[in-house]
Amino acid sequence: MPLPFPVTPMNPAYGYLLPRPYHYAVHEGFFSLERPVRVGEGLEQIADRLRFFGAMVSADAAAAIDLVAGAGLPPEGFTLEVTPDRIVLKAGDAAGRLYGAHALEQLLWIAFRWGANAAQLECGVVQDRPRYRWRGLMLDSARHFQDRETILATLRLMGKLRLNRFHWHLTDAQSWRIPAKGAPELNGHGDWQDGAYTPEDFVAIRAEAARQCIEILPEIDMPGHNVFLLGLHPELRCNPEVHGWEICLANPASMEFMKARLLEALELLPECKVVHIGDDECGTSHWDKCPKCQAKIRELGLKDSRALEEWFVNEICNFLLAHGRTPMVWGTHINPPKQTILQCWGNECDMVTCAAHDDNPVVSSIDHAYYLDYPQDDEDPHSDPMTPVTDMDTYCSTVGAHMVEYLGDRLLGAEAPLWTELVPQWRVRVKFLDRAIALSEATWSQQCHKHYRNFLQRKRGLELAGYTW
Ligand SMILES: [Zn+2]
């Protein structure tokens, strides 16, 4: 099978890097891989890969591949300098080291598989840095449960793709997957409850996230999406006799219950900086009919039930802020504290509405580009109003380029959610893979470097060389 485009001086191995780097230049000469090479500390991944290709790794070789600390590099950035006798990876932080090593590994795959006449890498320099600081995937573990191994594999995939936020949707109308020490009945079996995570799962998952330079943000969805919780705790409903989705906002026990669950989440994930509290898709009819909620509205001098929801959410946001965490909510109809991150979903118009909140930082999750539960093509199982979201849709999305001028630094980046009503565990990787690779370049690479056909050629070239994600 021929390469989509051959490796030549005009098309060097650097031309295959994915995501496409900020800048690269090719210089005279080659670094030969057909001689013993010394590999410096911190690059065991590279030493292993060289041995895999049958190259000689030797501690006293003259030719060397080294990792050095680079001052003044942008966060998560790295440089890679290839001269005839030395390759130097410079990084200022752990993410730069990880991403630089993955980039060098891609170059090795190309050099060994497609090197023009020998296993060699063109001399040159790669300077790389991310376009957006928020490059996320969301996994819904509430509708379908995924075991520890699937979560770990997802994190490893994310590390390779330089995706650095794992938004973990842990509770919903069907189940409560996060360990609830003070309410263990929540981790029992429910309608869809076929498993819950243990504190030991959290230890393993945190450790892998740290290795892959990923921040985990847990989501405990409130005040809506709580059918499962309210089935076990009807006293938190506005009317214990009436089934519903929203908790009673005025019952002090509701607030206490949620704060206790949030504190448990912080205990399980002590390094977590951002906590998502949902606040999506709430109706007001239960609150409108509830004597407690209506009395609270009068007591606080509020306009209506929606304003009471805003009061409740702000209390929870301020509670998280007091614990040194940043709250995050789904794009909202209320005004949360200005530090709260708004995750905008729906279409561009919804994003404009969402972003109209003064000062709040924004993450784009526009559905026709980033909703990975949508089918990848017409063959992919889906429910009806869903139209395909292809890897091209994800790739060509501009994240919010049309809004950059308006939002400026408030636009943190993008995140692709995978809702799992129709996605059992075995389909998670299939649903993520192609569109997560597209998301990687869409959020990492500069807009002016994006070219969908070229992206596909590089992806194909790496895969033909044997590289796997
Ligand atoms: Zn109520």
Side-chain angles (χ1 to χ4, degrees):
M1 183 90 68
L3 257 188
F5 50 96
V7 177
T8 66
M10 295 300 290
N11 279 317
Y14 305 106
Y16 276 92
L17 287 170
L18 198 170
R20 192 167 161 153
Y22 185 77
H23 171 76
Y24 72 82
V26 184
H27 301 152
E28 281 286 305
F30 293 90
F31 181 95
S32 170
L33 295 156
E34 295 185 343
R35 59 180 166 174
V37 176
R38 178 177 63 73
V39 180
E41 229 172 278
L43 291 173
E44 289 72 24
Q45 167 187 353
I46 298 301
D48 288 348
R49 189 51 66 198
L50 286 170
R51 288 191 199 98
F52 170 86
F53 285 120
M56 285 168 283
V57 178
S58 160
D60 45 15
I65 303 179
D66 285 312
L67 170 67
V68 303
L73 288 174
E76 306 181 283
F78 63 89
T79 66
L80 205 48
E81 285 180 80
V82 181
T83 55
D85 291 315
R86 197 167 177 223
I87 298 176
V88 176
L89 167 59
K90 253 187 227 162
D93 56 22
R97 290 194 288 280
L98 177 74
Y99 302 157
H102 281 316
L104 180 54
E105 204 191 321
Q106 288 184 348
L107 295 175
L108 293 179
W109 277 100
I110 295 295
F112 276 103
R113 186 68 179 84
W114 305 114
N117 298 307
Q120 57 188 17
L121 193 56
E122 302 93 340
C123 292
V125 63
V126 176
Q127 294 166 327
D128 214 351
R129 57 192 291 185
R131 178 166 177 233
Y132 289 107
R133 64 197 127 137
W134 193 290
R135 307 179 302 278
L137 286 185
M138 190 216 80
L139 179 60
D140 169 7
S141 296
R143 272 57 175 265
H144 273 94
F145 181 71
Q146 305 89 21
D147 61 19
R148 185 197 295 190
E149 279 312 313
T150 304
I151 305 289
L152 297 180
T154 300
L155 294 172
R156 289 192 292 270
L157 172 68
M158 289 177 69
K160 275 198 163 182
L161 298 176
R162 306 184 199 172
L163 300 175
N164 63 358
R165 296 290 192 289
F166 178 61
H167 171 176
W168 200 3
H169 185 78
L170 285 159
T171 72
D172 213 300
Q174 297 83 354
S175 69
W176 194 283
R177 309 288 194 194
I178 185 167
K181 205 166 58 180
E185 64 283 1
L186 294 178
N187 302 132
H189 287 257
D191 289 352
W192 293 39
Q193 184 88 329
D194 43 8
Y197 299 100
T198 62
E200 294 71 38
D201 290 330
F202 271 75
V203 171
I205 288 163
R206 277 173 62 205
E208 190 60 50
R211 276 193 289 278
Q212 304 300 335
C213 302
I214 293 166
E215 275 183 48
I216 299 177
L217 51 141
E219 180 179 351
I220 294 182
D221 207 338
M222 66 186 84
H225 285 259
N226 270 309
V227 177
F228 178 75
L229 164 68
L230 294 173
L232 293 165
H233 285 276
E235 75 280 7
L236 301 180
R237 291 178 181 147
C238 282
N239 178 345
E241 306 301 316
V242 179
H243 285 260
W245 171 267
E246 298 88 4
I247 55 175
C248 178
L249 299 171
N251 182 349
S254 299
M255 186 82 78
E256 277 165 34
F257 188 92
M258 288 306 188
K259 285 181 177 176
R261 302 291 81 76
L262 290 169
L263 288 179
E264 288 167 350
L266 297 182
E267 224 173 277
L268 290 161
L269 295 165
E271 60 283 293
C272 108
K273 294 179 185 151
V274 177
V275 179
H276 206 300
I277 56 163
D279 187 36
D280 56 321
E281 302 180 311
C282 290
T284 61
S285 66
H286 292 287
W287 304 327
D288 291 340
K289 287 180 224 144
C290 171
K292 288 194 288 281
C293 285
Q294 292 307 306
K296 191 77 183 172
I297 289 170
R298 285 191 297 277
E299 178 199 323
L300 296 169
L302 299 172
K303 189 168 70 131
D304 55 15
S305 297
R306 198 57 87 192
L308 185 64
E309 179 190 352
E310 179 168 290
W311 165 81
F312 181 92
V313 169
N314 282 2
E315 287 283 312
I316 295 285
C317 287
N318 287 325
F319 174 77
L320 288 168
L321 288 165
H323 282 84
R325 289 358 193 257
T326 301
M328 183 161 176
V329 296
W330 291 102
T332 183
H333 36 271
I334 62 160
N335 279 300
K338 68 175 171 29
Q339 301 94 324
T340 309
I341 300 169
L342 307 179
Q343 183 165 15
C344 298
W345 55 294
N347 57 30
E348 275 87 353
C349 293
D350 296 322
M351 180 140 172
V352 170
T353 313
C354 171
H357 291 273
D358 291 340
D359 300 329
N360 290 81
V362 168
V363 170
S364 170
S365 289
I366 289 173
D367 57 11
H368 57 257
Y370 302 126
Y371 264 43
L372 305 188
D373 48 317
Y374 281 42
Q376 309 189 66
D377 51 47
D378 290 327
E379 308 298 310
D380 200 5
H382 58 281
S383 56
D384 246 348
M386 292 182 172
T387 50
V389 170
T390 64
D391 66 339
M392 186 169 81
D393 294 321
T394 306
Y395 186 83
C396 295
S397 66
T398 51
V399 177
H402 56 296
M403 299 188 67
V404 165
E405 211 170 305
Y406 174 56
L407 286 168
D409 281 348
R410 286 170 57 204
L411 181 64
L412 303 182
E415 183 181 295
L418 178 58
W419 301 105
T420 60
E421 286 94 333
L422 300 172
V423 184
Q425 168 169 300
W426 64 270
R427 291 190 67 232
V428 164
R429 187 175 167 90
V430 173
K431 294 290 272 186
F432 270 144
L433 189 59
D434 285 337
R435 292 174 295 178
I437 297 171
L439 178 72
S440 168
E441 188 152 304
T443 51
W444 179 276
S445 303
Q446 297 301 303
Q447 182 68 20
C448 61
H449 288 162
K450 277 171 58 185
H451 186 294
Y452 179 64
R453 194 174 152 73
N454 176 272
F455 160 77
L456 286 184
Q457 287 173 329
R458 279 178 286 128
K459 185 171 169 235
R460 183 90 181 115
L462 284 165
E463 285 168 355
L464 285 173
Y467 186 80
T468 52
W469 306 96

